[in-house]
Amino acid sequence: MTKDQIFEFFRRLAEDNPEPETELEYGNCYQLVVAVALSAQATDVGVNKATRALFAKVETPAQMIELGLDGLIEHIKTIGLFNSKAKNVIALSQLLIDDYGGEVPDTREDLVRLPGVGRKTANVVLNCWFRQETFAVDTHILRVGNRTGLAKGKTPEQVEAKLEKRVPQPFRLHAHHWLILHGRYVCKARTPECWRCKVVDLCSYRKKVLEKPKGR
């Protein structure tokens, strides 16, 4: 894509959804960290179902420690990899208490120190809560970046680096949300719904599905 095409790409996505947000439910920054950590290899819908009751009880790292590992597992046992995720959440909660006064830090360097928090999770927290211009590359963004020609790369890190260079203002803050939602609901993995895509003419994908399959 050219610079002009990239600008138009995001302009259309922004026009369609001016204020995109994560579909994870949370009430404060700590709950956001927990929700994103739990969402690895799980759907936002599944995480939200598990965390509604949890977050009604737990708003702080101290309350999570008080709930304990077994109590946390009881809440999140419907989520994949719940045992390891629960251990990480308890450990990160303790680290927040010990090293950060119970507050979530606002730098990537500090966030990735937390157990279960990688670069993608850190980028989501920095973007959604601290309003930093970060690009959290998940499977959806990896797919959309490569399919469209917006940001090609074999790894999330490569695609993130391309997005850092190529996404213009005023779209940088919300770019990763637009791309995730586009990948989740339009540019789907098995059959991209090109017939209803708002940026189809800007996309370099050679196998566009321009007619809606029968029965869909």
Side-chain angles (χ1 to χ4, degrees):
M1 283 191 193
T2 66
K3 287 185 178 180
D4 288 344
Q5 286 175 323
I6 292 172
F7 190 93
E8 179 63 13
F9 180 94
F10 283 108
R11 188 199 67 76
R12 293 184 197 175
L13 296 182
E15 184 178 57
D16 189 53
N17 185 5
E19 293 292 331
E21 296 180 350
T22 177
E23 294 184 320
L24 289 171
E25 298 172 2
Y26 60 94
N28 60 34
C29 190
Y30 170 69
Q31 290 181 342
L32 174 61
V33 172
V34 173
V36 181
L38 293 176
S39 71
Q41 295 178 293
T43 66
D44 288 359
V45 171
V47 172
N48 290 338
K49 286 181 179 179
T51 58
R52 283 179 192 130
L54 173 66
F55 289 165
K57 293 181 178 180
V58 175
E59 296 182 1
T60 67
Q63 290 174 338
M64 187 68 78
I65 297 299
E66 185 177 350
L67 178 66
L69 180 63
D70 290 342
L72 175 56
I73 287 174
E74 190 62 29
H75 279 283
I76 67 168
K77 61 186 179 182
T78 56
I79 300 175
L81 306 174
F82 64 88
N83 277 315
S84 60
K85 289 178 180 179
K87 291 176 183 177
N88 281 334
V89 168
I90 294 297
L92 73 83
S93 299
Q94 191 63 58
L95 187 61
L96 287 175
I97 293 169
D98 293 343
D99 289 7
Y100 299 99
E103 299 295 324
V104 176
D106 62 356
T107 69
R108 186 184 291 113
E109 181 181 17
D110 284 323
L111 284 168
V112 297
R113 288 189 62 217
L114 303 176
V117 175
R119 185 179 180 88
K120 186 189 79 172
T121 297
N123 281 343
V124 172
V125 174
L126 292 172
N127 182 270
C128 294
W129 189 263
F130 295 107
R131 309 290 286 180
Q132 294 184 25
E133 295 172 354
T134 59
F135 303 92
V137 178
D138 67 352
T139 56
H140 296 300
I141 294 183
L142 190 69
R143 180 175 65 255
V144 172
N146 279 283
R147 256 191 197 161
T148 61
L150 171 66
K152 291 187 176 183
K154 293 182 179 180
T155 67
E157 292 76 17
Q158 290 174 350
V159 171
E160 181 184 345
K162 291 279 182 66
L163 291 172
E164 279 282 1
K165 291 181 179 179
R166 306 193 78 185
V167 178
Q169 294 291 9
F171 308 116
R172 292 178 66 82
L173 181 62
H174 294 316
H176 98 266
H177 285 307
W178 285 316
L179 294 173
I180 287 172
L181 294 171
H182 191 65
R184 186 173 289 165
Y185 296 112
V186 181
C187 195
K188 298 177 181 180
R190 290 187 179 180
T191 305
E193 299 182 1
C194 308
W195 66 87
R196 66 182 189 90
C197 176
K198 296 182 180 298
V199 292
V200 65
D201 58 308
L202 303 171
C203 172
S204 63
Y205 188 50
R206 293 181 179 179
K207 300 179 182 178
K208 292 187 176 79
V209 184
L210 297 175
E211 293 187 10
K212 183 177 181 181
K214 293 181 180 180
R216 298 193 63 161

